[in-house]
Amino acid sequence: MASNQQARPGIGELARDTASGRIGVLMDEVGARVQIRPVSGGVEWDAMPDNVVAPTAREVLSGCLAIRNGSRDGL
C-alpha cells in the first residue's frame, strides 16, 4: 500500500514548514522543535517536526526563481 506521507528531510537538506509554507535548510533539532534557515540566508525559525516535509521540485524551482529575480519571498 502506498503512503501519502512525504519524507522528512535530514539535517542540511531543503525542508518545507507546512505551518508557514516557508522553505529553507533544516539546520538542527533542538528539544521538541527543528530549526530551519532561509536558503538566501537570515534568521532561523523554529518549526514542529511533524510540520516539516521535503519540498516538491516545483516548490524548489519557484523559490529559486524568486531569489534570482530579487524577491525576498523566495526560499
Side-chain angles (χ1 to χ4, degrees):
M1 181 183 303
S3 172
N4 290 333
Q5 294 181 347
Q6 290 178 290
R8 181 166 163 216
I11 302 295
E13 296 180 335
L14 287 177
R16 179 169 53 94
D17 178 359
T18 60
S20 68
R22 296 172 69 189
I23 296 175
V25 178
L26 186 62
M27 299 304 292
D28 200 3
E29 293 186 38
V30 179
R33 297 184 181 261
V34 296
Q35 291 185 321
I36 304 173
R37 176 175 291 154
V39 173
S40 57
V43 178
E44 296 172 355
W45 74 91
D46 289 338
M48 298 302 294
D50 290 344
N51 293 338
V52 176
V53 297
T56 65
R58 183 179 196 148
E59 290 168 332
V60 171
L61 179 59
S62 178
C64 288
L65 287 173
I67 289 170
R68 178 133 178 123
N69 289 330
S71 169
R72 301 194 59 83
D73 296 330
L75 296 175

